[in-house]
Amino acid sequence: MPTSTLDALIQELKTDGRRDTLHPQIFFKTSLTALSHAMEDQVLASDDRPLIIATFQRERFYRQEAHRYRRIARQTAQVYVLAAPETDFTSRSGDYETVAFDPADPLSQEWNLIIVGHRSASCLICHERDTLHPLAKQAMDQSRQFEGIWTFDRAVVCRAAHLMLDHILRYRPELADKIATARRDFLPDQPESLVGLGPEPFAGRLLTYLQAGQYKLMKAYRSLESKEQRERLVNLITIAIRQSLDPDEVFQVATQELGQALGTCRCLIYACREGDGEVVIRHEYLGRAVASLQGQPWPLQTNPLFQTLVASHRAVELVAMDPAQTPSPLLQALIQSWDIGRWLLVPVLHQNQLIGVLELHHCGHCGSGWTPQEIALAEAIADQVGVALIQARAYAHLEDLNQQLAALDRTRDNLTAIVGHELRTPLSTVQVCLESMATEPDMPAELRQVMIETAMTDAERLRRLVQDFLMLSRLESGRVEWNPELLSLQECLDMALSNIRARQVKDKLPTVTVKLPEELPLVRVDGEWLVEVLAKLLDNACKFTESNGAVMISAQWEGRDVLHVTVADTGRGIEPDRLEAVFDRFHQEEGALRRTVGGTGLGLAIARQIIDRLGGRIWAESAGRNQGTAFHFTLPAALDS
């Protein structure tokens, strides 16, 4: 692999035992420009006719100095200018020799100026360091850095000249005779150690001043870059927030951009609360080929770092190589499992409450920790993530409220229909019966009895409607006192069936059968409310089943502590997509104004409220219209009683 002129020169001098004569240092372009001009001005101000070799990284840099070298060429015939061509720069002989070298040649990264005269010798041999920050490169070309030497030692200068003449011969072998003359006239085999011009005190001070100025500029560039990077990332997160209220999208953008900006191995962001035991990692950025935490459970309560974060609400950093910082076995296990070398946790806060965490990992021995500027950047991003999370939650809460309002609107409409039908119809009947009896005192006794029974039936219908309203209101508001006790399911079922049997005397109802195992465990329930559930389900089954149909009641154990009860019928059935809706308040499968059976639409809603409070669950099954329906519910059994 080709080496730079600087490396080749150091190697040769090291072989000759002259390494101590070199003092490599860092130069900025401003410094090199000033030193090169000073060396060239020295040539123009003297009557010496030296050998001059100058390299330019690109043709455009050469064009800025071409007029100076035309002036220098009037004093000496031994001038060689090398550059990588970009437009019309070619190898040719003119006022001086130009050498177009391959852009891939190490010379394209060098800054070399060699002047060898009869009374003085000096040289700059430098190689560019690619350590600039992107903002510095964009802001000013003068901030580029070079590593090299500036010397007046004739022996070193002559050795550098030999190396450069060898370069020139490779590209322009036709200059062999001219180069041989240059070697003979300016590069003796045993050059004197030091002749002529040396670095005067003012030159040294000038160089120091230039270097100090460049370091100040670099510091300013780094500060500007940090601010620009912070503003760019914050703006990026802000735009993501405006474009989407989905926290997943915001988290993904934040992890990607922050991880790339800080050059971290792993960047995580997750939502959590101070009391959470663990979270599952969903948003991650990997900067290197390290293990992914995507989908992994991540401990919080048992993690000392997280607990320190909760206590301080400040960024927490851990250096895994420091045993004093990792006394916890959990931390040691996490560090080993995920190869964490340096660990940074930044809180995501809202109104001084923890709502999430931003984590950065340097894995293995990669990275040297985070600077205050980088931590400040991570904290700024955490603030934006917090805003995004709160806005997303507020939007989701608003959506829930809108859905609740829509449900309330539907409930209001259903309630209006129920009141219009279930209240007005029986009231009208009662009113007609009473008015008839009041206006016709001579009404036959048989007709009067029919009127009285009709009024009483519809009055009972009104009473049950009001009772259901009040019962559901008490259940939903939590104003019910529960008195659980050990009861037999058969006993509760007999009480519920008594009402059905009383109705069978007057109305032709479907056949009701009961199939219970001989030995059933007792259930720990409030008997009054369990009877209410069974009565509601039986009443519902009888209403929607023809008189020639059947209603079956069965029960079985599920596991050791659950009793499963089923009330099935052969009636109208329910469409599968409506099975959950039948438990809504005021739900009427046929519609409130075109029903063929009475009812408020509150019975199943009441049943669900009761079963939920008793510690069970209730659901419905049906294959569809005219295929019957089965209502199931579970209760806690008391096997040890």
Side-chain angles (χ1 to χ4, degrees):
M1 181 178 178
T3 59
S4 67
T5 305
L6 177 64
D7 291 339
L9 178 60
I10 291 175
Q11 186 60 39
E12 286 195 10
L13 294 174
K14 181 179 180 181
T15 303
D16 294 345
R18 294 181 55 86
R19 183 176 177 84
D20 292 341
T21 62
L22 293 182
H23 302 284
Q25 59 182 309
I26 301 301
F27 297 90
F28 291 94
K29 183 179 177 182
T30 302
S31 305
L32 292 182
T33 301
L35 291 173
S36 298
H37 285 174
M39 292 167 64
E40 293 160 357
D41 289 344
Q42 183 68 24
V43 172
L44 292 171
S46 69
D47 57 1
D48 202 359
R49 299 179 181 276
L51 163 66
I52 299 176
I53 306 172
T55 67
F56 295 88
Q57 293 173 307
R58 296 288 184 272
E59 177 186 346
R60 59 181 176 273
F61 302 140
Y62 153 75
R63 286 198 298 267
Q64 298 172 10
E65 304 294 332
H67 67 286
R68 294 177 66 85
Y69 281 87
R70 284 195 292 270
R71 291 174 56 198
I72 291 173
R74 297 186 191 124
Q75 293 187 215
T76 176
Q78 289 287 353
V79 179
Y80 302 87
V81 175
L82 297 84
E86 292 176 313
T87 55
D88 59 353
F89 187 88
T90 59
S91 295
R92 61 171 175 262
S93 299
D95 295 336
Y96 45 84
E97 304 294 345
T98 59
V99 180
F101 58 77
D102 187 341
D105 194 302
L107 287 172
S108 64
Q109 301 298 318
E110 298 181 18
W111 183 304
N112 301 317
L113 177 58
I114 302 170
I115 300 176
V116 186
H118 297 291
R119 294 191 297 274
S120 63
S122 60
C123 71
L124 268 172
I125 306 294
C126 301
H127 188 272
E128 186 167 7
R129 302 176 66 193
D130 188 17
T131 58
L132 283 184
H133 291 265
L135 181 63
K137 287 183 178 179
Q138 297 173 8
M140 189 177 294
D141 181 61
Q142 303 300 323
S143 58
R144 291 157 51 200
Q145 296 182 37
F146 294 77
E147 182 178 19
I149 60 170
W150 173 40
T151 182
F152 298 87
D153 187 323
R154 181 176 286 272
V156 175
V157 175
C158 290
R159 187 62 59 89
H162 277 299
L163 290 173
M164 289 305 305
L165 290 174
D166 290 341
H167 268 299
I168 295 170
L169 270 177
R170 281 198 294 273
Y171 285 103
R172 295 195 61 186
E174 72 275 12
L175 297 179
D177 292 340
K178 186 173 183 178
I179 290 175
T181 301
R183 293 185 195 273
R184 184 188 67 242
D185 293 346
F186 297 99
L187 308 176
D189 293 336
Q190 297 294 330
E192 298 180 20
S193 178
L194 185 65
V195 178
L197 180 67
E200 299 292 342
F202 80 88
R205 291 185 179 182
L206 173 62
L207 179 60
T208 301
Y209 173 79
L210 289 172
Q211 296 288 76
Q214 287 299 314
Y215 278 114
K216 290 180 180 179
L217 281 176
M218 286 301 297
K219 185 176 180 180
Y221 292 147
R222 291 190 184 98
S223 177
L224 287 173
E225 180 193 20
S226 176
K227 292 179 180 178
E228 186 270 343
Q229 186 182 57
R230 175 173 175 171
E231 290 178 1
R232 183 182 66 83
L233 286 179
V234 170
N235 289 339
L236 191 63
I237 302 301
T238 302
I239 292 172
I241 293 172
R242 291 174 179 172
Q243 292 178 342
S244 172
L245 287 172
D246 183 357
D248 288 337
E249 293 185 18
V250 176
F251 282 11
Q252 196 57 44
V253 170
T255 53
Q256 182 77 18
E257 295 298 327
L258 182 61
Q260 288 181 347
L262 298 185
T264 188
C265 298
R266 188 185 292 118
C267 179
L268 313 172
I269 297 180
Y270 49 85
C272 66
R273 297 288 185 179
E274 294 183 356
D276 290 348
E278 66 177 23
V279 296
V280 176
I281 301 301
R282 297 174 55 196
H283 305 284
E284 174 187 57
Y285 163 80
L286 299 179
R288 294 174 56 220
V290 297
S292 173
L293 279 165
Q294 192 88 19
Q296 294 289 333
W298 198 238
L300 298 179
Q301 280 300 319
T302 55
N303 187 337
L305 282 184
F306 179 77
Q307 293 306 316
T308 302
L309 185 80
V310 169
S312 65
H313 283 184
R314 298 172 63 89
V316 179
E317 184 175 4
L318 178 141
V319 181
M321 289 77 75
D322 183 359
Q325 291 197 49
T326 55
S328 165
L330 173 67
L331 286 182
Q332 294 175 4
L334 292 175
I335 287 169
Q336 292 176 2
S337 299
W338 304 105
D339 193 27
I340 302 174
R342 289 183 176 270
W343 200 340
L344 179 68
L345 274 69
V346 179
V348 178
L349 303 171
H350 175 68
Q351 295 181 348
N352 206 34
Q353 295 294 319
L354 184 71
I355 59 174
V357 174
L358 186 156
E359 285 196 25
L360 300 174
H361 300 167
H362 277 323
C363 296
H365 298 287
C366 176
S368 57
W370 289 273
T371 66
Q373 292 79 11
E374 290 173 332
I375 294 177
L377 176 60
E379 290 174 337
I381 297 304
D383 289 342
Q384 292 300 310
V385 169
V387 171
L389 190 57
I390 291 301
Q391 288 187 358
R393 288 179 177 175
Y395 178 75
H397 182 60
L398 182 60
E399 286 288 298
D400 290 341
L401 290 177
N402 287 336
Q403 292 177 5
Q404 292 177 24
L405 288 173
L408 287 174
D409 284 341
R410 291 193 297 271
T411 300
R412 181 198 61 193
D413 294 340
N414 287 334
L415 179 59
T416 302
I418 291 293
V419 171
H421 186 277
E422 292 297 330
L423 291 180
R424 183 178 58 190
T425 301
L427 280 173
S428 298
T429 302
V430 170
Q431 182 180 10
V432 168
C433 291
L434 293 177
E435 286 179 351
S436 297
M437 289 188 293
T439 57
E440 298 183 21
D442 298 331
M443 181 182 296
E446 294 82 1
L447 182 58
R448 182 181 294 275
Q449 184 62 31
V450 170
M451 291 289 184
I452 292 173
E453 289 179 357
T454 301
M456 290 181 64
T457 299
D458 279 5
E460 174 62 17
R461 184 175 170 184
L462 285 173
R463 185 195 67 80
R464 293 177 61 189
L465 174 62
V466 173
Q467 181 180 345
D468 282 351
F469 271 117
L470 295 176
M471 185 182 300
L472 184 60
S473 175
R474 288 172 60 203
L475 287 168
E476 291 184 338
S477 63
R479 292 183 287 109
V480 174
E481 292 186 7
W482 300 91
N483 300 299
E485 55 183 331
L486 296 178
L487 295 173
S488 165
L489 177 63
Q490 183 68 62
E491 181 182 346
C492 296
L493 185 57
D494 289 341
M495 296 179 66
L497 285 169
S498 63
N499 183 45
I500 299 299
R501 294 190 180 111
R503 287 173 56 191
Q504 281 181 327
V505 175
K506 297 184 294 181
D507 303 322
K508 189 171 178 57
L509 297 177
T511 303
V512 179
T513 59
V514 179
K515 294 182 179 180
L516 299 181
E518 293 183 1
E519 294 185 3
L520 274 179
L522 300 179
V523 289
R524 189 179 300 277
V525 296
D526 187 313
E528 177 185 352
W529 290 107
L530 178 56
V531 170
E532 188 68 38
V533 170
L534 291 168
K536 294 290 185 189
L537 294 180
L538 287 169
D539 181 67
N540 192 72
C542 291
K543 280 194 303 184
F544 291 99
T545 304
E546 299 295 335
S547 59
N548 60 351
V551 176
M552 293 77 67
I553 306 166
S554 60
Q556 61 183 3
W557 292 7
E558 279 192 358
R560 284 187 50 82
D561 56 358
V562 174
L563 184 64
H564 180 176
V565 181
T566 302
V567 178
D569 62 63
T570 60
R572 299 181 184 180
I574 305 171
E575 293 296 340
D577 61 345
R578 305 294 298 169
L579 289 172
E580 185 62 25
V582 297
F583 293 98
D584 293 343
R585 291 177 297 173
F586 306 117
H587 177 80
Q588 297 287 353
E589 193 68 11
E590 296 177 304
L593 299 180
R594 53 185 178 86
R595 289 175 295 135
T596 58
V597 297
T600 63
L602 297 176
L604 292 178
I606 291 172
R608 168 163 282 184
Q609 288 286 335
I610 295 172
I611 292 298
D612 287 346
R613 298 302 192 278
L614 293 178
R617 70 185 187 95
I618 186 170
W619 70 98
E621 292 180 348
S622 177
R625 286 288 182 183
N626 300 318
Q627 311 234 3
T629 305
F631 284 91
H632 305 265
F633 66 88
T634 60
L635 294 171
L639 295 178
D640 298 331
S641 59

